Amino acid sequence: MAPNTCTSYLPPEIIENILLRSSVKPLLRFKSVSKSWNTLISDPIFVRNHHNQSKKSSSDNLFLCHDYYTLSYSNLYSVVKLEDRKLQTLQVFECSYRWEDYVCSCDGVILLATGCDTYRRFTLWNPSTRTRTELCHPRRRIEASYGLSRDPTTGDFKVVVVGWRDSYSVYSCNNKSWMIFNKEHETPPRTGPSSCYRSFPEVCVDGVSYWVWRNTSHIEKGIDNNSWNELMTVENVCMRIWNFQPLCFVEDKIVIQDRRRDKLLAYIPCEKRFEEFEGDAQPFDRVRLPIPYTESL
Amino acid sequence: MAAETGTPTTLTLKSNDDELFSVAESAAILSVTIRNMVEDGCAGGVIPLDNVDGKTLASVITYMNGISAIPADEEKKKSYRDKFLSDKDFETLADMVLAANYLNMSCLMDAVSAKIAQVMEKKSVGWVRRKFGIENDYTPEEEAAVKEEHKWTFEGVETDDDN
């Protein structure tokens, strides 16, 4: 390599390292660079590593919000960053669905209930790539809870529909099919994530879906590897269930939004107590339901 | 390592175009490649770095001295790295990422890679092919089809006349 002449070209492993740090929009554009770039950017392992990288750099503080104050029934969604107790809008997306269609989200992909046959037809929407996938449940199930998770090894997205009593079904986006399972733990009758029309979104971490299930106290349940487990009881809850909105996991705490007071709380499972975030009453009072968000290919 | 003498040990590095550089051992061992040489006792005399030219090595040494002067404070180190890389052009960054790779300095590697990704953010496909030396192996029809599929990602791309 002689000095002051043309740079020698970068080897593939360094190029890959650079592309892992690029955002989704230029990456999709660079699929046109060459066939090998297209193959690399489409590779499931690259997609997974890229998502892990973007999670690492966004450090859990991006949310997708519907700015319903500016335009009451607008289709605009903004990605906002929560930093130093301030909201900063990074990007605005347009979506043809209304906010009321939101069911749940995982890894930057959002599950929406669509069509007039609500809670039978679903759309998976990825705002970063502007792509969507349609799917349809064999039965219409309002009295159910919905979850979305991503298998950490295969990158497959799974939609989980949990009935209150008997069974639950899992849709695999890779196989494009539903599988029905029976719960090993019986859910006590008349309990559920919520008795209202719209069910509670779950929280997904490393391919496992977690719900807050309503009972005399609140029980967290999860689906891991297509099996259903009761995890723990959240104790010392002093708010009404519909104000209780789990958002994401930060370290070993569960971040919960108290919707009545527009407050963020963290539940510490090992100590069975809640702690409030300092002075964060302001950030979320403008928005209705912030969704944790990361870029995803 | 001459830790007991109290005076900081200095290493001499030689670039591939025969420039010599003196650098404190405590700063130079940010490079795992150099640290291994020091630990194996082969860092006496001049350390030849056959894959790094003088201009790049001077820059890397500036970085080594700057970052090792900052105490263990990740925020401050990050802002030093941002400032250090802020005025570098693509060619300089490419030389630096190659040097960081050769010298096995992961913190510099990651920072320069992220900076290059940021430089590429609004660049055209043609710019990327030129800078990375990538041959377009698509037929015109195939290329048009891939571009059509991701049409929206071509909005806001810089015009292609810059270097």
Side-chain angles (χ1 to χ4, degrees), chain A residues 142 144 164 191-200 212 214 241-242:
Chain A
I142 289 176
W164 291 3
T191 65
S194 162
S195 59
C196 60
Y197 178 62
R198 187 158 57 139
S199 64
F200 273 84
V212 173
R214 185 165 67 141
I241 183 68
W242 15 83

Side-chain angles (χ1 to χ4, degrees), chain B residues 96-163:
Chain B
M96 207 170 287
V97 78
L98 284 168
N101 185 44
Y102 172 69
L103 292 168
N104 199 348
M105 296 171 70
S106 62
C107 62
L108 184 60
M109 249 323 262
D110 290 350
V112 180
S113 299
K115 178 67 187 176
I116 295 176
Q118 193 194 327
V119 168
M120 291 163 72
E121 178 86 27
K122 287 185 166 35
K123 298 298 184 197
S124 70
V125 168
W127 186 94
V128 170
R129 282 187 193 133
R130 272 201 316 281
K131 296 290 180 178
F132 286 84
I134 309 287
E135 197 193 328
N136 177 15
D137 52 0
Y138 282 119
T139 65
E141 294 77 26
E142 286 170 338
E143 187 179 345
V146 181
K147 282 189 169 166
E148 181 61 31
E149 195 188 337
H150 305 287
K151 210 172 172 179
W152 68 275
T153 65
F154 289 82
E155 294 160 13
V157 171
E158 286 171 10
T159 45
D160 208 15
D161 50 19
D162 63 335
N163 51 21

Side-chain angles (χ1 to χ4, degrees), chain A residues 58 66 95 98 151 160 166 201 218 223 225 275 293 297:
Chain A
S58 65
H66 188 225
C95 176
R98 290 167 302 131
D151 190 309
V160 185
D166 43 3
H218 309 282
I223 284 199
N225 240 341
E275 72 178 17
Y293 181 72
L297 266 169

Side-chain angles (χ1 to χ4, degrees), chain A:
Chain A
M1 183 167 64
N4 304 323
T5 57
C6 184
T7 314
S8 57
Y9 295 124
L10 298 174
E13 64 275 14
I14 291 184
I15 293 181
E16 181 168 346
N17 204 26
I18 293 166
L19 295 182
L20 282 175
R21 287 164 174 79
S22 301
S23 31
V24 167
K25 187 177 170 182
L27 277 181
L28 294 178
R29 182 168 70 242
F30 297 154
K31 284 185 171 190
S32 312
V33 166
S34 72
K35 286 180 185 170
S36 61
W37 276 43
N38 190 358
T39 309
L40 170 69
I41 296 166
S42 312
D43 185 77
I45 295 167
F46 179 84
V47 170
R48 189 177 77 215
N49 292 342
H50 179 265
H51 185 256
N52 290 341
Q53 187 64 43
S54 88
K55 266 205 288 208
K56 212 160 66 184
S57 52
S58 65
S59 59
D60 283 335
N61 55 9
L62 291 186
F63 292 91
L64 191 67
C65 297
H66 188 225
D67 210 353
Y68 79 115
Y69 260 26
T70 46
L71 283 163
S72 46
Y73 286 101
S74 83
N75 299 325
L76 299 178
Y77 296 75
S78 25
V79 177
V80 294
K81 191 173 182 178
L82 174 62
E83 200 172 48
D84 299 332
R85 286 182 257 148
K86 282 191 203 106
L87 281 175
Q88 186 200 348
T89 303
L90 302 180
Q91 253 179 302
V92 177
F93 297 111
E94 210 175 332
C95 176
S96 49
Y97 305 113
R98 290 167 302 131
W99 192 251
E100 283 69 22
D101 299 333
Y102 171 74
V103 180
C104 56
S105 76
C106 168
D107 285 359
V109 173
I110 291 161
L111 181 68
L112 301 153
T114 48
C116 37
D117 197 4
T118 316
Y119 290 98
R120 203 170 156 215
R121 286 178 189 285
F122 296 93
T123 298
L124 280 171
W125 176 46
N126 183 340
S128 330
T129 57
R130 304 193 181 182
T131 52
R132 50 193 55 166
T133 311
E134 315 276 337
L135 54 118
C136 186
H137 193 266
R139 281 160 62 198
R140 180 169 185 252
R141 302 204 61 163
I142 289 176
E143 294 185 342
S145 188
Y146 299 86
L148 179 64
S149 67
R150 167 138 83 169
D151 190 309
T153 41
T154 61
D156 184 17
F157 275 98
K158 287 175 179 169
V159 178
V160 185
V161 180
V162 187
W164 291 3
R165 299 203 178 101
D166 43 3
S167 63
Y168 61 94
S169 34
V170 179
Y171 180 85
S172 153
C173 292
N174 282 6
N175 302 338
K176 295 187 174 21
S177 64
W178 289 94
M179 281 170 77
I180 314 285
F181 300 92
N182 287 316
K183 272 189 243 176
E184 283 167 29
H185 296 267
E186 187 132 336
T187 313
R190 288 172 190 280
T191 65
S194 162
S195 59
C196 60
Y197 178 62
R198 187 158 57 139
S199 64
F200 273 84
E202 46 64 272
V203 177
C204 166
V205 179
D206 289 338
V208 185
S209 298
Y210 300 88
W211 281 271
V212 173
W213 214 255
R214 185 165 67 141
N215 201 328
T216 45
S217 56
H218 309 282
I219 302 167
E220 290 268 330
K221 296 203 168 192
I223 284 199
D224 180 10
N225 240 341
N226 295 341
S227 72
W228 178 265
N229 293 298
E230 191 170 306
L231 280 182
M232 62 178 139
T233 304
V234 181
E235 291 172 21
N236 305 326
V237 180
C238 58
M239 68 188 88
R240 285 163 66 103
I241 183 68
W242 15 83
N243 295 321
F244 188 87
Q245 173 71 61
L247 286 177
C248 53
F249 285 68
V250 175
E251 291 155 6
D252 54 350
K253 299 169 186 171
I254 307 166
V255 179
I256 290 154
Q257 186 192 17
D258 178 351
R259 294 164 80 177
R260 186 172 43 113
R261 296 185 297 155
D262 285 321
K263 264 187 177 301
L264 289 185
L265 302 169
Y267 180 71
I268 306 153
C270 54
E271 297 172 20
K272 297 196 189 299
R273 66 177 181 88
F274 289 88
E275 72 178 17
E276 287 194 8
F277 281 74
E278 272 178 39
D280 63 353
Q282 296 306 314
F284 286 119
D285 59 2
R286 245 165 28 96
V287 293
R288 230 168 79 197
L289 181 63
I291 309 170
Y293 181 72
T294 46
E295 275 214 323
S296 185
L297 266 169

Side-chain angles (χ1 to χ4, degrees), chain B residues 14-35:
Chain B
K14 190 173 86 171
S15 66
N16 63 1
D17 45 349
D18 295 327
E19 265 191 83
L20 295 176
F21 297 88
S22 287
V23 57
E25 186 190 283
S26 57
I29 56 170
L30 278 173
S31 153
V32 176
T33 309
I34 294 175
R35 192 171 68 207

